[in-house]
Amino acid sequence: MSNTQTPSVTQCAAWKALAAHHLRVAGLQLRQLFADDPGRGERMALDAVGIYLDYSKNRITDETLRLLLALADETGLRGRIDAMLRGDKINVSEGRAVLHTALRAPRDAPIVVDGVNVVPAVHAVLDRMAAFAERVRSGAWKGHTGKRIRNVVNIGIGGSDLGPVMAYEALRHYSARDMAFRFVSNVDGTDFAEATHDLAAEETLFIVASKTFGTAETLRNATSARAWFEAQGGSDLAAHFVALTARPEAARAFGVGRCFAFDDGVGGRTSLWSVIGLPVAVAIGRAGFEALLAGAHAMDRHFAEAPLEANLPVQLGLLDVWYRNFHRFGSRCVVPYHHGLRSLAFYLQQLEMESNGKRVDAHGRPLPFDTAPVVWGAVGSNAQHAFFQMLHQGTQVVPVEFIAVREPAHTLEGHQPRLLANALAQARALMLGHVADDAHRHFPGNRPSTFLLLERLDAASFGALIALNEHRVFTSGSLWGLNSFDQWGVELGKRHAGAVETGLASGRTEGLDAATAGLVRRLR
Ligand code: F6P
């Protein structure tokens, strides 16, 4: 079948059956489902790759799951998973393979693209990057005055920032405690100024992370970093600036010393596993970084091999489709009950909304249904005191994803039981609600949630958790028939920014719309 003949998911028998099924089950109450079937809590759960997934508190029945799996079959999900993992050129609008899973493949697991096994090259780069990380970490890499590097400042934005920040925070417990790690992303100079105000240039290594080495914000910050370094008497740029990029020639022209290159086929939002992970590798060391890759790879194997009904990413992706297209829920809220995961929601926003925030399918045909939900959230228990009011009693139903970690990384007494109790209690309260005569005190309940439980938050389990989310986004994107691996939507704003910046500098507003021209005049 040619591409243009690929039928839309809405033409699948299972999609139509799901629409009819939704009408029958839309009014079901979770309380009642549990009362009728107490075994549901145990049955609607999966345990794989160190992650326990309890999806029983969702508005689903066994029939819902059967139909969703039928939809996965009918849309050829298994074949699409195989194609991605095999290195087929599934990013059709850019004509390339997607290679983030190759970055965590073991040395002896070939992935062939255009007749070439890409895995040896991946490991050659990883070896070089990890060896450099160890030199910085051990103090063998010296600054221009001969002092060891104590501060690492990562300059990058989007995928060149969100993954490394999140991973560093999550794994900080295992990090080199005698070093400082900072992350600068915003072109607002406040970010750079605050990140560097207490640092000495002679002890600071800047990592300029940009796949394209053309992102305006990152280049601005890198230029400020160079000026800051030189203003403190810094002389040897090569000892203090390295670049992580797919465009090494542009980085060299800027004046960095070392370049660690990665392939164009690695998307920004899935680049944590590439050299973009350098600040994380410095923080947690080579062994830690390899454990991170191994955890993600274990999830890749699970995604590839587990039957669809026992497949963690597939179950989550199918639930996402069920809620988005049949219940028409507009957002998903993620609340990790671990302070190390406080930036997870930001990372997931890019992962989901840049990947699946599309209005046409992979062949450019308009999609007649909604795609990526708004993904949002914050760390628990803080979030309870911010937006949980709306989750419990607001007019919109928002499925919530709780993430809890059984074993804490600290030894403080009394914290962990209270933290875990809060997570469990919130999920329970959302489901059960509370009947009261006073309308203000009445909770409707029946608010769905999913519960993910990790044994501990370490490099391997964290790697698996992130890969799980990558693959669930791929699953829903596949069912929707869109290309999850391009991001043309980000380009338009970048183009406009150039014209507006010229207007702000020169005062010339010809060509700008009247509203923007007015604001430019006020800002000058
Ligand atoms: O925000 C758009 C985007 O292209 C992201 O996809 C990417 O992660 C980010 O910009 C940064 O790009 P680069 O790594 O090329 O600087």
Side-chain angles (χ1 to χ4, degrees):
M1 190 183 287
S2 84
N3 282 343
T4 47
Q5 289 171 312
T6 308
S8 160
V9 65
T10 53
Q11 283 152 29
C12 290
W15 183 278
K16 292 172 187 155
L18 276 161
H21 170 73
H22 175 254
L23 294 177
R24 288 194 298 277
V25 300
L28 287 183
Q29 294 289 316
L30 286 165
R31 273 185 305 266
Q32 196 56 45
L33 290 172
F34 273 93
D36 295 346
D37 174 15
R40 176 184 170 95
E42 299 276 294
R43 197 174 68 255
M44 291 190 176
L46 293 171
D47 193 352
V49 203
I51 297 179
Y52 182 74
L53 165 67
D54 171 1
Y55 56 96
S56 63
K57 291 193 282 298
N58 281 293
R59 292 197 191 170
I60 50 172
T61 65
D62 290 332
E63 178 67 357
T64 320
L65 291 173
R66 194 187 66 72
L67 290 172
L68 286 168
L69 287 165
L71 186 65
D73 266 341
E74 234 183 305
T75 53
L77 176 64
R78 174 58 77 197
R80 289 175 196 236
I81 295 171
D82 292 346
M84 176 182 70
L85 297 174
R86 199 166 51 218
D88 289 7
K89 294 189 177 178
I90 60 166
N91 177 355
V92 285
S93 72
E94 297 174 317
R96 58 193 183 205
V98 297
L99 292 176
H100 53 289
T101 56
L103 296 169
R104 53 224 192 192
R107 287 176 203 270
D108 57 358
I111 296 178
V112 178
V113 179
D114 289 333
V116 177
N117 176 12
V118 297
V119 174
V122 163
H123 278 272
V125 174
L126 174 62
D127 286 343
R128 204 172 143 253
M129 186 269 259
F132 178 74
E134 286 296 335
R135 288 188 72 192
V136 176
R137 189 178 157 82
S138 68
W141 183 267
K142 304 282 187 227
H144 71 110
T145 59
K147 284 199 169 179
R148 68 163 292 191
I149 296 295
R150 293 198 178 276
N151 317 309
V152 173
V153 180
N154 190 79
I155 296 176
I157 198 164
S160 300
D161 169 69
L162 293 164
V165 178
M166 169 189 66
Y168 169 67
E169 288 173 354
L171 303 174
R172 192 167 180 178
H173 176 70
Y174 305 95
S175 70
R177 295 298 201 168
D178 56 347
M179 298 183 74
F181 294 86
R182 307 268 166 88
F183 296 84
V184 175
S185 54
N186 200 332
V187 74
D188 177 350
T190 313
D191 198 6
F192 181 84
E194 288 298 325
T196 53
H197 79 100
D198 56 346
L199 304 184
E202 60 180 345
E203 297 180 333
T204 301
L205 176 72
F206 287 100
I207 298 176
V208 185
S210 177
K211 176 174 154 179
T212 54
F213 220 83
T215 303
E217 294 95 322
T218 299
L219 294 185
R220 182 64 257 164
N221 276 319
T223 303
S224 295
R226 192 169 56 190
W228 177 87
F229 176 71
E230 286 167 355
Q232 286 197 37
S235 54
D236 183 4
L237 219 60
H240 292 267
F241 284 77
V242 298
L244 318 175
T245 185
R247 302 266 178 283
E249 60 299 339
R252 291 220 172 78
F254 176 85
V256 300
R258 295 195 174 207
C259 275
F260 298 95
F262 64 110
D263 195 278
D264 252 347
V266 176
R269 52 195 172 276
T270 54
S271 62
L272 169 65
W273 325 100
S274 73
V275 294
I276 291 293
L278 176 62
V280 184
V282 177
I284 63 171
R286 178 175 191 145
F289 196 73
E290 285 178 346
L292 176 82
L293 298 179
H297 178 70
M299 185 56 72
D300 296 342
R301 294 319 314 152
H302 170 79
F303 191 42
E305 289 159 11
L308 297 186
E309 66 277 12
N311 198 305
L312 295 174
V314 170
Q315 286 295 327
L316 288 178
L318 292 178
L319 262 176
D320 292 341
V321 170
W322 171 241
Y323 282 149
R324 189 74 187 106
N325 299 121
F326 298 95
H327 281 280
R328 311 291 300 267
F329 296 151
S331 79
R332 180 172 84 242
C333 180
V334 55
V335 187
Y337 278 71
H338 189 298
H339 202 65
L341 295 175
R342 60 193 175 282
S343 295
L344 178 68
F346 301 129
Y347 174 85
L348 294 179
Q349 276 173 350
Q350 187 195 20
L351 184 63
E352 174 84 48
M353 293 158 77
E354 201 167 271
S355 299
N356 288 345
K358 312 282 164 67
R359 48 175 286 285
V360 297
D361 73 6
H363 311 295
R365 298 172 302 190
L367 290 167
F369 46 79
D370 290 322
T371 57
V374 173
V375 173
W376 59 290
V379 73
S381 61
N382 299 20
Q384 291 171 207
H385 304 277
F387 54 72
F388 266 61
Q389 165 63 37
M390 179 266 204
L391 297 179
H392 285 291
Q393 289 187 310
T395 52
Q396 292 183 36
V397 174
V398 180
V400 182
E401 206 154 289
F402 292 91
I403 302 171
V405 178
R406 202 179 69 78
E407 199 181 281
H410 60 80
T411 53
L412 294 171
E413 279 202 13
H415 288 256
Q416 188 68 358
R418 184 156 294 173
L419 178 74
L420 294 180
N422 268 287
L424 293 169
Q426 289 297 329
R428 189 172 139 78
L430 284 166
M431 170 175 75
L432 296 179
H434 174 71
V435 179
D437 292 338
D438 177 351
H440 298 289
R441 290 174 172 77
H442 179 78
F443 291 70
N446 208 30
R447 309 243 155 163
S449 70
T450 300
F451 212 98
L452 293 164
L453 188 56
L454 310 187
E455 191 54 26
R456 74 187 63 80
L457 187 64
D458 59 16
S461 66
F462 174 73
L465 178 68
I466 301 308
L468 166 63
N469 278 286
E470 288 175 351
H471 295 326
R472 66 107 63 95
V473 166
F474 175 78
T475 296
S476 53
S478 281
L479 261 69
W480 289 327
L482 54 80
N483 179 4
S484 299
F485 298 100
D486 60 12
Q487 59 283 320
W488 299 104
V490 193
E491 297 305 318
L492 183 62
K494 289 185 189 172
R495 283 209 299 279
H496 282 306
V500 175
E501 203 170 332
T502 308
L504 277 169
S506 65
R508 297 180 53 185
T509 56
E510 308 87 77
L512 295 179
D513 62 276
T516 309
L519 288 168
V520 163
R521 281 191 292 275
R522 279 195 85 85
L523 282 166
R524 270 185 48 89

